[in-house]
Amino acid sequence: LTEKHYKDAFLQFGETEELRKNSLQELKQWLNDNPQINAHKNVKYLLFFLRGAKFNLDKAKKKIKTFYRMRAERAEWFQNRDPFLPEIMELLSIGVLLPLAEKDIYNRQIVIIRTAAHDPKKHAQNDVFKTMKMILDLLVYFDETISIYGICAIFDMKGVTIGHAMQLTPMMIKRSVASWENYPTRVKMLEFVNAPLHVNVVLNVFRSFMSSKMKERVIVTRGQSKLSELVNLPPELNGKSNTNYEDLILYWKQKVQENATWFAEDEQFKSIL
């Protein structure tokens, strides 16, 4: 991180070198005393939780416990994350989640979630979620600045069908929302674009499981994305970027597959239930 990043972290969370050092020390000791949590002790990961909790140690500990428990309970998302499995390769080639290379004017990471890119008759929703989380985890691993500025997600609903909606059972929606709430990343905005008129039927189910803070961050936009004023979006979202979906798909597929070993090693970090 640069001096500017640390300055912004101080302005946002009151983070200082001393607070950082003391908080990390306490978290590491707590994790040593609670081996059943079996969390990743890499400083970068711990800082995501600390910054996400604005250095409130009790909140950070709670989030760590919940996150690593989720990793154990949701084996369908967090185990067997081999990017060369046919079903994962196919979803990487389709591009279900595409992080942009360019940040917005507030330095936030923008990710595009293409809710209708897959074929509901052919692709299991859990495999879609698994692939999305693989990309998200890699993104977070490589870019610590996300822990300071957070993430904005654009849900591109172009081409969404009743078949896509039918895949999302209430239990799956509940688990999906819980995963967003419990990820160490700070979600700043969830914007739904190209949404069909009946989108609120499904969105209301999502909202019913959200915390009040998360609900406030959901917006449905008719026409041009609100984020187009803050970042160059791909041409598929009527943006000014020279990078289109296909470019992003190729980049992220290669990036995920290059890190197959990292995914295999990362699977060990989950709570002992």
Side-chain angles (χ1 to χ4, degrees), residues 30-31 36-40 45-46 48-49 59-75 77-78 81 133-134 136-138 140-141 175 178-185 262 266 269-273:
W30 174 72
L31 288 170
Q36 75 284 359
I37 296 170
N38 197 27
H40 208 305
Y45 285 108
L46 298 181
F48 261 93
F49 288 102
K59 271 189 187 171
K61 287 174 184 177
K62 189 180 175 192
K63 206 155 190 180
I64 288 170
K65 275 173 88 168
T66 310
F67 179 70
Y68 285 99
R69 185 174 182 88
M70 174 178 73
R71 279 179 64 99
E73 288 175 343
R74 299 273 71 76
W77 298 346
F78 295 104
R81 299 171 110 195
K133 285 173 193 339
M134 285 171 74
L136 188 61
D137 286 354
L138 200 60
V140 163
Y141 175 71
R175 287 172 178 170
S179 78
W180 275 93
E181 299 265 12
N182 293 309
Y183 249 74
T185 47
W262 179 82
D266 185 61
F269 300 109
K270 55 178 180 173
S271 292
I272 299 153
L273 298 174

Side-chain angles (χ1 to χ4, degrees), residues 1-17 20 51 148-149:
L1 293 181
T2 65
E3 202 173 315
K4 185 193 182 306
H5 294 141
Y6 283 121
K7 191 178 172 185
D8 288 344
F10 172 72
L11 292 171
Q12 286 214 54
F13 323 119
E15 180 178 329
T16 61
E17 197 174 341
R20 194 165 53 243
R51 288 174 181 141
I148 298 170
Y149 305 106

